[in-house]
Structures are given as structure tokens and as C-alpha cells.
Amino acid sequence: MNNEIPLSLYVHIPWCIKKCPYCDFNSHEKNQSFDEDRYVKALLIDLNEEYKYCQQRTLSSIFFGGGTPSLFSADAIKRVIDHARSLFKFNDIEITLEANPGTFEQEKFTAFRDAGVNRLSIGIQSFNASHLKALGRIHDEKQALTAVETARNAGFNNINLDLMFGLPQQTIQQATDDINIACQFDVPHISHYQLTIESNTYFYKHTPILPEIDLIWEMQTQCQNLLAKNKFHQYEISAYSKHGKQCQHNINYWQFSDYIGIGAGAHGKLSDINIANDSVNIVRRWKHRQPQQYMDKTLIGDSLSGEQTLSQQDIVFEFLLNALRLKSGSDIQNFKRNTGLNYEILRETVKNIDTSLLTINDKSVNTTDKGFLFLNEILENLV
Ligand SMILES: C[S@@+](CC[C@H](N)C(=O)[O-])C[C@H]1O[C@@H](n2cnc3c(N)ncnc32)[C@H](O)[C@@H]1O
Ligand code: SF4
């Protein structure tokens, strides 16, 4: 296995108190299948299995995503971190946990901190009462406000706030109000997502009236200006951070580095690249999606639902799919290291893309400012 490519660990926690009408993540309402102890046992077995493919490697980040990981006890999270520590070498790495307002208690968050979690990603979505209601969130605006304070009091400084825009009936003023409130908390990171209507969601069947596209466009521009004014640097389509506070875990994905995925429906990608022998083997592996099935199967040593070895074409496309999301693009050294392929293959793949949208030379490949507005078109063109 290639030891130079950074390696992250993603841990999926698949339950939520209630399913939000817009959400198509692998998240399930907390019901009879919820069994924290059994799920953690499965996670540890899953991690042991994955470890076989990446022994001797160092972890560069851990991310507990969901679902709602903050539904789990701090003890459960600690068992996973401790187990990772017993297998892999790592010291001071970023360990993020996604948390929902409405699942916030001071004591629990202090215990998360003690367990080793050092970054929180809080799903605020909006500070506006009627928008939170329209989104079917379990929390109100007061809980959204207190969540950040609670996180701070529990000792967290490295905090991300998730906000969405383009919400039903939302005005530009309301969208910028959300950004202004988030900035007042002086957090180092904000993720700002445009609400998308995904198939397999309640909103797909009963689609609310969303703002016109021109209005959403203007909303995004004004929010971006406001974020810039507050010293947030946009480093990816939806990610904004203060200096040096980018999410290391997500950067790893976007730079096409390696990751292990454990938990229901989790995906991983591991590379075995030997440039001297000209050999490239990149494998994606994913786990059973339904929590009950995941636990039943993993506990008898069968966590894997599927795996795929990427073709050269898949590798270049997936690399671009990720790298082009980054404002800084990717340097060609990174491309060579993480794909084992040469510059000519990359240049050949993008040769039909207009240079006003994408630039490439033997140092780097970048989406232009105009290209960012047409990223989907670029990717469709590549397909
Ligand atoms: C893995 S999700 C869930 C995190 C956490 N459970 C929560 O909801 O607070 C991460 C983020 O994706 C965003 N998101 C989820 N569904 C979306 C959608 N349909 N359109 C845009 N953003 C979405 C939300 O901002 C959410 O906080
Ligand atoms: S709480 Fe988060 S993960 Fe759960 S259903 Fe809502 S958006 Fe999806």
C-alpha cells in the first residue's frame, strides 16, 4: 500500500431523531433498530477488517458523520477513537463530530471533548424560526443560538456551522441575516449549501415553492460578499473558513486522497500505487446500507456490501470531480501521487473544455471563476 497518500477515517452513524423532508443521506429515524452498544461492536469489527488493507499507515483525520452522531453517548464515540488509536499511528489530528441543535447537553459535549473530539460541525441550517419549521427541523431558533454557546462552553473552538440557503419563501435579507448571525459567533468555519431537491425525499414528492433561480443567484452572491467581509475565505463550492481553518478531512476527499469508511453504507477508497513499477490499483469498498443488516452482517464478519477497482478513466474522472470543487484546484504533483498517472493523461481528458472554464499546465489544474458557475456543465462534458 502507498504510505505517502494521506489516509482519513470516516465513521457513519445512521440514526436521527426525525427524518428531515429534504435529506437523502443514509439516515433513519431512531426506532427499534437503534442499538448503540451493538452498533459500536460492529464498527470496531469493521475497523479491524479495514485495517488489514492499510497497516503501517498513519491517520490524518477522523470524521463522525451522519445521521446524527451527537445522538450517541460520549462513551460510544470514545470506544471508536480509542480503537482507532490502538491500530493506527496518529497524534494531533482533526477529529470532527456532526451535532444537531436539539441534541445538545453541556455535559455530553464536555465528554465528547474528553473522548478526543476536537472539532464540531453543527447543523444549524437557519436561525430563522419559520424556515426551521419549513425544513422540518427538530430544533427552533433559540436552540440554534444556544447550541454554539454550549459547544464553546464545552471547550470547542474549532466549530463549523452548516447553513442552507434558497429555502422556501426565503428573501435575500433573511439569507444574509443568517450569515450575519453566524459571523457574530466568531466561528472559524461555515458551510453554506444551496437547498437541493433530491429524489427519494419528501420534498421531491411534495416540492415546496423555492425562490426563483435569479434570486438564489443574488442571495448566494450577497452571502459570499458578506462572508468575505468577515474574513472567511471560500476554498470549495460550499466551504468557507478563516485562515488555516479549512476542514482537513474534506480537503482529503477533494484532493483524492485515501479514506476508510466504516458504518452503515459507508464508502472507502484505498490506493496501491507503485510509480517505479508503473502499477496502479485503486479500490472502492462500501458497506451494507441498512443499519440492522449492517450490524447483523458485520458481527459475523461480513461488513462488505460491494467493491470496485477503478479503471484509468474512472480514476481521472473522479480526481477531476473532486479537485475541480477546490478554489485552489490541484497541483500536478498531487495528481501524480494520488492517481499514479501522468500529466499527459490528465491534459488529454480535459482538452475539450473551454479555457475560460478550466486551465491546465504542467504545474496545476484549476477551475476558473467562470468555471465555478458552470461546474456541472464541465463535469457533464467530461463524461
Ligand atoms: C450529513 S448532513 C447532516 C448533519 C446533521 N445531521 C444535521 O442535519 O444537522 C450535513 C449537512 O448537509 C446539508 N444538507 C443536507 N441535505 C441537503 C440538501 N438536500 N440540500 C442542501 N444541503 C443539504 C445540511 O446543511 C446538513 O447539515
Ligand atoms: S438531522 Fe441531518 S442527517 Fe438527519 S435527517 Fe435531518 S438533515 Fe438528514
Side-chain angles (χ1 to χ4, degrees):
M1 281 287 159
N2 191 309
N3 285 326
E4 283 173 35
I5 303 179
L7 175 71
S8 292
L9 168 63
Y10 176 75
V11 185
H12 192 72
I13 309 291
W15 290 284
C16 296
I17 291 180
K18 184 171 160 269
K19 182 81 183 174
C20 301
Y22 55 86
C23 175
D24 82 334
F25 285 90
N26 185 25
S27 60
H28 306 264
E29 225 155 271
K30 195 178 161 190
N31 56 14
Q32 312 87 292
S33 77
F34 182 90
D35 185 337
E36 181 183 287
D37 183 56
R38 195 157 181 261
Y39 193 77
V40 172
K41 283 188 178 120
L43 287 175
L44 303 189
I45 291 175
D46 198 353
L47 189 54
N48 285 340
E49 283 302 304
E50 288 294 330
Y51 180 66
K52 292 180 187 160
Y53 298 93
C54 43
Q55 294 178 22
Q56 317 295 331
R57 290 184 68 175
T58 307
L59 277 188
S60 55
S61 65
I62 302 178
F63 194 103
F64 290 87
T68 305
S70 52
L71 274 184
F72 267 29
S73 67
D75 181 56
I77 300 297
K78 184 173 179 334
R79 280 164 66 196
V80 179
I81 297 174
D82 286 350
H83 194 62
R85 225 183 268 286
S86 73
L87 296 174
F88 294 93
K89 284 177 275 177
F90 60 88
N91 289 323
D92 239 358
I93 60 170
E94 178 190 278
I95 304 183
T96 305
L97 180 119
E98 282 184 342
N100 290 27
T103 62
F104 258 76
E105 303 139 38
Q106 175 84 52
E107 255 171 57
K108 192 175 183 181
F109 278 79
T110 308
F112 282 142
R113 183 104 187 83
D114 294 342
V117 176
N118 52 29
R119 183 174 184 271
L120 279 187
S121 178
I122 309 177
I124 299 283
Q125 319 312 349
S126 172
F127 291 101
N128 177 297
S130 59
H131 292 142
L132 287 172
K133 209 158 168 214
L135 290 173
R137 296 293 291 180
I138 59 160
H139 67 269
D140 58 21
E141 74 286 9
K142 207 163 154 261
Q143 286 167 305
L145 292 165
T146 50
V148 192
E149 284 309 319
T150 308
R152 276 264 156 71
N153 293 338
F156 286 97
N157 293 317
N158 203 359
I159 296 172
N160 165 58
L161 303 182
D162 279 347
L163 291 174
M164 291 198 288
F165 68 98
L167 308 178
Q169 319 283 340
Q170 193 178 33
T171 62
I172 293 177
Q173 183 64 50
Q174 289 168 333
T176 52
D177 283 351
D178 276 346
I179 297 290
N180 268 321
I181 298 173
C183 289
Q184 279 164 24
F185 282 111
D186 197 24
V187 290
H189 198 287
I190 291 177
S191 300
H192 196 227
Y193 301 108
Q194 179 183 340
L195 174 66
T196 50
I197 303 298
E198 308 282 354
S199 50
N200 290 323
T201 62
Y202 179 86
F203 271 6
Y204 189 73
K205 290 193 204 101
H206 308 273
T207 309
I209 300 169
L210 299 179
E212 294 289 330
I213 190 71
D214 287 353
L215 188 73
I216 294 182
W217 204 250
E218 185 56 29
M219 204 178 261
Q220 182 172 24
T221 307
Q222 293 203 21
C223 289
Q224 280 173 338
N225 292 342
L226 202 52
L227 283 160
K229 217 170 113 192
N230 282 279
K231 301 201 164 43
F232 281 94
H233 166 73
Q234 183 181 13
Y235 67 100
E236 189 263 353
I237 296 176
S238 311
Y240 301 79
S241 80
K242 296 268 176 70
H243 182 70
K245 292 293 182 182
Q246 294 100 329
C247 174
Q248 294 309 311
H249 189 83
N250 286 340
I251 285 192
N252 241 17
Y253 290 147
W254 296 323
Q255 290 185 338
F256 202 62
S257 299
D258 280 353
Y259 52 95
I260 304 165
I262 61 169
H267 282 240
K269 168 208 163 238
L270 288 173
S271 312
D272 189 0
I273 294 174
N274 189 326
I275 291 185
N277 296 345
D278 207 13
S279 88
V280 177
N281 189 36
I282 302 185
V283 180
R284 284 202 173 285
R285 298 149 51 76
W286 55 94
K287 309 299 162 63
H288 301 290
R289 194 173 157 84
Q290 290 302 321
Q292 190 68 58
Q293 190 193 22
Y294 169 77
M295 287 187 282
D296 292 347
K297 294 253 188 183
T298 306
L299 290 169
I300 55 168
D302 178 22
S303 63
L304 200 63
S305 169
E307 65 183 325
Q308 179 202 6
T309 301
L310 299 188
S311 66
Q312 179 174 304
Q313 206 181 357
D314 292 335
I315 294 172
V316 182
F317 180 70
E318 287 197 18
F319 171 83
L320 286 167
L321 187 73
N322 287 289
L324 296 182
R325 299 173 64 96
L326 285 168
K327 275 273 175 183
S328 61
S330 174
D331 64 54
I332 300 300
Q333 284 308 327
N334 178 61
F335 171 75
K336 287 183 185 159
R337 183 193 64 179
N338 291 3
T339 65
L341 302 174
N342 61 43
Y343 168 60
E344 279 66 36
I345 293 172
L346 184 64
R347 203 181 49 186
E348 183 63 21
T349 310
V350 301
K351 70 174 183 209
N352 293 328
I353 309 288
D354 197 286
T355 50
S356 69
L357 302 176
L358 184 146
T359 58
I360 184 163
N361 57 42
D362 58 2
K363 301 270 177 307
S364 67
V365 55
N366 289 80
T367 311
T368 63
D369 285 347
K370 183 175 168 202
F372 259 97
L373 306 176
F374 299 100
L375 195 53
N376 284 340
E377 283 79 352
I378 298 179
L379 296 173
E380 273 165 27
N381 214 319
L382 289 171
V383 177

